Amino acid sequence: MSRKFRAPMKDQRGTVAVLVALLLPVLLGMAALVVDVGLAYNTQAKIQSAVDAAALAGVQSLPNTANASDTARQFAMKNGMQESELQITTPYQGDSYQIEVRCTRTVNYIFAPILGIDNGSVSTRAVARYGGGDHIFDYAVFSGSKTRNLVFNGAFMDITGDISGDVHTNCNCTINGSHQDVSGALEAVGTITVNGSDLNFGEKIPHAPYVPTPQYSMNDLKTMADHVYTCSQTFNGTDINLSGITFVQGDVTINSSKVKGTGSIIATGNIIINGSGMSYATTSDAICMYSGGSITVNGSNMQVDGILYAPNNQVIMNGSNQTVNGAVIGDTVTFNGSHLSINHDAHAAASAVPVKVAYLVV
């Protein structure tokens, strides 16, 4: 009986072997499709991220196209790109504030060579542009918090600018007091409540679009710095002549000091300005005070020339008869006192802010 059943089993094994031989190219093709196509997709996604980052890094140096190309190339290579894979174009399409970064990489397949296909290529690109569109440095006053209201208390407040005196909050805005003037638009993602008398606005825009606050790594900013202090710094009654980026690991206190030149002071901690504050030496100067903590301005009858920038915390202005020629930008903004004047300075916003606002076009 056993012999009668063995022959059919041998025949079945032979049939299975033939079927496997016939289906092997199909199985290998499916493996090539799943594994090698997935490999190409993952490679493209990886280099897309690197190309995006390289374009955004390079655009910081525009309109200096040579520096922009070099920065983008170095940034891409630090993220695993090979110089032979890169093609960088700036100005891009005749725009000196645009840069294009392309990367083309050969992907060596794993299973496809069995089918005679050894490799393939993936290509990706990114175009970045400096400026354009709504961004926080377009505003004389900007409050980025989505949960804390922007509140103006007091009297005799004047917000204007060389281009516009716009105000924006990502929450609600409440105006209390009298004799307050905003020459530009008053924008709020939420509602706008106005209490008081003699209040003038160029335009009130409730339920405005949300404007994100760009976030920058302090470690990255430190690598960009021209001067680095490893501990908190206090400046008493002496002139501070800025040239480039000064980075302070800790707090900065400025007591009756004049800050002149073109550049920025970046503090990982708080910045406190007492007394006469900052002053432009010439109309071509531009200053930015950038705090990883909060910025507090104390005193009366004082003038601050420059950008006050605390993207993750608050800017507090205490006192009366204060003038800011620049911009006040924080996660939250608090004004205490009266007779406050803020004059937006587009030149300082474009020249002194350590990292330019840029976005990806493609």
Side-chain angles (χ1 to χ4, degrees), residues 102-120:
R102 286 180 176 268
C103 179
T104 302
R105 171 170 292 184
T106 299
V107 179
N108 294 318
Y109 294 142
I110 298 173
F111 288 99
I114 300 174
L115 304 177
I117 305 172
D118 294 329
N119 54 57

Side-chain angles (χ1 to χ4, degrees), residues 9-25:
M9 293 177 65
K10 288 182 180 180
D11 293 339
Q12 290 174 6
R13 286 197 297 268
T15 302
V16 170
V18 171
L19 288 173
V20 169
L22 292 173
L23 292 175
L24 185 59

Side-chain angles (χ1 to χ4, degrees), residues 137 278 280 287-289 305-309 326-327 329 345 348-349 353:
F137 301 108
M278 302 180 292
Y280 293 152
I287 297 165
C288 175
M289 305 295 284
D305 292 335
I307 309 296
L308 302 178
Y309 182 33
I329 300 170
D345 183 354
V353 175

Side-chain angles (χ1 to χ4, degrees), residues 73 77 80-87 102:
R73 183 175 291 102
M77 292 174 68
M81 305 293 100
Q82 301 296 319
E83 187 168 9
S84 59
E85 299 174 328
L86 295 169
Q87 180 182 348
R102 286 180 176 268

Side-chain angles (χ1 to χ4, degrees), residues 20-38:
V20 169
L22 292 173
L23 292 175
L24 185 59
V26 177
L27 296 173
L28 291 175
M30 293 177 63
L33 180 64
V34 174
V35 176
D36 292 331
V37 171

